[in-house]
């Protein structure tokens, strides 16, 4: 049976393609390991979000942390995306890519004074704040600049996102947000602060949500909370519901339909006269990317079979960090026997694996494999561990492709260091 792949990746005559480009041609041109992204795959997903929200005032702010390559930011900016950032570095990227700072929301529990100043100066749309001391510092920084900071408070709706504990954020026990009762006090306390302007309420309950119910439940709680705020004389215009829906990493997995997600949110927002802001990251880019790698060796050790690839945990850390599943498929497919193997990289630790005890087709040294659904939280979480250059990144657009980040050189690996 032909291996599972997410569109826009598909086999044609036994060769795996990204849109209209064969991955074998990319490997020949750009080398391996490299990340490959499908421009039209990303555009389609963005348009699906727009369609899901078309019946309500909305703003889609792409979560830059999912994949911050300039070419991808540019592509989304061209479609009219706003951006959700969590650092001055991400804001710098957005502006370098031609994104509009006026459509940026700044999330995160630990913004520094310098980051606030930079973002205020750039004229971002709003700050999603998470504590009283943060609001105090933001007011101080804004006052010093003679500016006003538009703000939302990130509240904690106490909803269980039912996802991996490391990426679940909406419960009281988490470091994120402020409990709703405490938040009301803060909205009141800072209402008369001239350097701040309340515009919204935000939340983010977690990532990789395969059920939209917790998102709808959080939205309902936020909309109800807005009514309380408005009754207290606080003029709220928008509700930011945080990240988007989950994606399909397994063949057996079903990701939520964006139309269903939109419908549920529409119900939650009915009659509320609010702009909905969403910060999807993963669901815009994950399925549009693979990590392309070459098999270096196949070895048997005791009972176990190991497939050793030229990509490693420093390139894609999700399996090592979250025990995440990524399908691994041969780039040239022909019917062949199956085996059970561990797919591992060259890094010197046992945590360096892409798959363990994986039922997969027999692969041979020298052949190419694609680690699927790697467009989100892939390259952005890469490192130089073991002094390995980070991989190239390639963007495919129909039948054209180009390198949008060069593979690092040995000289770049030691840049900035001295003896
Ligand atoms: N907004 C906020 C405030 C967030 O913290 C996040 C993700 C998002 C939006 C985007 O959520 P998404 O639409 O991507 O689900 N490294 C992990 C994922 C960490 C997610 C952190 N926050 C992984 O590889 O699974």
């Amino acid at each position: 049976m032909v291996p599972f792949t997410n569109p826009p990746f598909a086999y044609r005559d036994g060769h795996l393609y990204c849109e209209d480009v064969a991955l074998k041609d990319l490997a020949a041109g750009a080398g391996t390991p490299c990340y490959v992204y499908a421009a039209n795959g990303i555009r389609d997903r963005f348009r699906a979000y727009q369609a899901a929200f078309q019946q309500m005032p909305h703003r889609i702010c792409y979560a830059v942390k999912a994949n911050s390559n300039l070419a991808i930011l540019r592509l989304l900016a061209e479609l009219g995306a706003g951006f959700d950032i969590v650092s001055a570095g991400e804001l710098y990227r957005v502006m370098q890519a031609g994104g509009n700072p006026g459509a940026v929301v700044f999330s995160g529990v630990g913004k520094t004074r310098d980051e606030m100043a930079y973002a205020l100066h750039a004229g971002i749309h709003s700050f999603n704040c998470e504590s009283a001391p943060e609001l105090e510092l933001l007011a101080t920084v804004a006052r010093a600049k003679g500016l006003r900071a538009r703000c939302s408070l990130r509240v904690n709706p106490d909803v269980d996102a039912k996802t991996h504990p490391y990426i679940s954020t909406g419960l009281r026990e988490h470091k994120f947000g402020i409990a709703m009762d405490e938040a009301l006090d803060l909205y009141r306390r800072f209402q008369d602060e001239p350097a701040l302007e309340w515009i919204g309420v935000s939340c983010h309950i977690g990532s990789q949500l395969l059920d939209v119910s917790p998102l709808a439940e959080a939205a309902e709680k936020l909309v109800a909370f807005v009514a309380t705020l408005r009754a207290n004389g606080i003029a709220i215009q928008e509700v930011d519901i945080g990240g988007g829906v989950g994606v399909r990493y397994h063949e057996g997995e079903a990701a939520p339909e964006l139309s269903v997600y939109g419908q549920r949110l529409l119900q939650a927002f009915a009659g509320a006269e609010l702009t909905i802001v969403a910060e999807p990251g993963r669901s815009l880019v994950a399925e549009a990317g693979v990590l392309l790698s070459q098999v270096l060796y196949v070895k048997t050790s005791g009972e176990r079979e190991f497939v050793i690839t030229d990509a490693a945990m420093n390139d894609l850390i999700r399996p090592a960090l979250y025990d995440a599943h990524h399908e691994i498929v041969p780039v040239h497919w022909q019917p062949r026997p199956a085996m059970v193997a561990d797919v591992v990289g060259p890094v010197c630790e046992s945590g360096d694996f892409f798959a363990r005890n994986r039922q997969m087709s027999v692969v041979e040294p020298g052949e190419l494999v694609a680690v699927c659904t790697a467009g989100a939280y892939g390259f952005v979480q890469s490192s130089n561990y073991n002094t390995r250059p980070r991989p190239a990144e390639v963007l495919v657009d129909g039948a054209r492709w180009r390198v949008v980040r060069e593979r690092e050189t040995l000289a770049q690996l030691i840049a900035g260091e001295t003896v």
Side-chain angles (χ1 to χ4, degrees):
M1 215 178 52
V2 181
F4 163 80
T5 50
N6 273 318
F9 294 86
Y11 287 94
R12 293 186 195 168
D13 297 330
H15 293 284
L16 188 57
Y17 275 70
C18 173
E19 300 193 1
D20 295 327
V21 179
L23 291 186
K24 69 172 169 41
D25 296 338
L26 288 181
T32 57
C34 80
Y35 278 94
V36 177
Y37 310 123
N40 288 308
I42 298 170
R43 292 187 186 109
D44 288 349
R45 291 295 283 173
F46 185 80
R47 293 191 183 114
Y49 265 98
Q50 286 180 314
F53 291 148
Q54 68 181 352
Q55 288 175 62
M56 44 189 160
H58 65 268
R59 198 164 38 245
I60 303 164
C61 293
Y62 169 62
V64 173
K65 65 169 84 67
N67 185 328
S68 58
N69 184 285
L70 291 188
I72 287 180
L73 299 181
R74 165 66 63 93
L75 183 159
L76 287 164
E78 281 170 357
L79 294 175
F83 297 93
D84 165 49
I85 59 156
V86 289
S87 67
E90 287 189 348
L91 178 54
Y92 177 69
R93 280 183 174 279
V94 167
M95 293 192 298
Q96 289 297 311
N100 172 13
V104 166
V105 298
F106 194 166
S107 300
V109 67
K111 303 175 193 76
T112 67
R113 177 190 288 268
D114 286 350
E115 287 180 319
M116 290 173 178
Y118 182 61
L120 274 169
H121 184 70
I124 67 163
H125 175 70
S126 74
F127 292 82
N128 287 343
C129 297
E130 304 212 17
S131 67
E134 183 189 340
L135 286 168
E136 268 150 24
L137 181 59
L138 182 57
T140 307
V141 177
R143 232 179 279 128
K145 285 185 163 284
L147 294 170
R148 235 177 152 208
R150 284 175 295 274
C151 308
S152 295
L153 266 193
R154 174 164 171 183
V155 300
N156 195 328
D158 205 24
V159 169
D160 188 352
K162 302 193 182 76
T163 181
H164 190 286
Y166 285 13
I167 53 176
S168 177
T169 48
L171 290 174
R172 253 173 202 271
E173 69 202 53
H174 296 133
K175 73 177 175 185
F176 299 99
I178 302 172
M180 289 201 184
D181 42 352
E182 292 164 35
L184 178 58
D185 291 343
L186 282 184
Y187 275 101
R188 284 216 202 90
R189 204 172 115 199
F190 286 87
Q191 166 80 327
D192 299 322
E193 167 56 64
L196 301 184
E197 179 190 354
W198 288 128
I199 59 160
V201 180
S202 72
C203 77
H204 170 74
I205 60 170
S207 195
Q208 184 52 11
L209 274 64
L210 291 176
D211 176 7
V212 294
S213 295
L215 285 167
E217 194 189 326
E220 282 160 18
K221 285 189 168 183
L222 260 60
V223 170
F225 184 55
V226 168
T228 310
L229 291 173
R230 285 175 171 169
N232 279 269
I234 297 152
I236 296 295
Q237 303 145 32
E238 58 189 47
V239 162
D240 181 338
I241 51 152
V245 299
V247 301
R248 234 172 138 198
Y249 285 101
H250 292 261
E251 185 164 14
E253 214 161 45
E257 290 290 335
L258 287 177
S259 55
V260 174
Y261 163 79
Q263 232 18 67
R264 295 289 300 272
L265 291 173
L266 189 61
Q267 282 161 14
F269 278 74
E273 289 185 21
L274 284 164
T275 295
I276 182 169
V277 181
E279 305 168 350
R282 189 190 311 267
S283 47
L284 288 175
V285 292
E287 293 174 3
V290 300
L291 174 58
L292 185 58
S293 176
Q294 188 178 33
V295 175
L296 296 175
Y297 308 104
V298 178
K299 86 171 199 182
T300 311
S301 188
E303 298 282 274
R304 276 176 113 89
E305 203 76 47
F306 290 94
V307 173
I308 303 168
T309 60
D310 64 359
M313 67 186 289
N314 73 293
D315 303 306
L316 176 67
I317 203 173
R318 300 192 72 257
L321 192 56
Y322 314 111
D323 213 13
H325 180 97
H326 287 264
E327 291 290 331
I328 301 169
V329 300
V331 163
H332 179 220
W333 167 252
Q334 79 269 340
R336 44 176 131 184
M339 65 173 175
V340 174
D342 286 15
V343 181
V344 302
V347 162
C348 299
E349 56 181 278
S350 303
D352 179 22
F353 62 86
F354 291 130
R356 283 184 295 192
N357 280 322
R358 178 71 59 89
Q359 174 88 31
M360 59 188 288
S361 319
V362 167
V363 290
E364 305 290 341
E367 79 167 285
L368 297 166
V369 292
V371 184
C372 300
T373 328
Y377 305 110
F379 184 90
V380 286
Q381 296 198 108
S382 66
S383 76
N384 293 123
Y385 187 39
N386 277 208
T387 306
R388 287 169 52 85
R390 280 180 295 171
E393 293 176 284
V394 166
L395 185 67
V396 173
D397 196 347
R400 290 174 303 143
W401 65 274
R402 64 197 166 96
V403 173
V404 290
R405 192 183 205 275
E406 301 278 351
R407 182 181 313 287
E408 279 175 341
T409 62
L410 294 181
Q412 283 171 332
L413 288 173
I414 57 165
E417 292 183 37
T418 55
V419 287

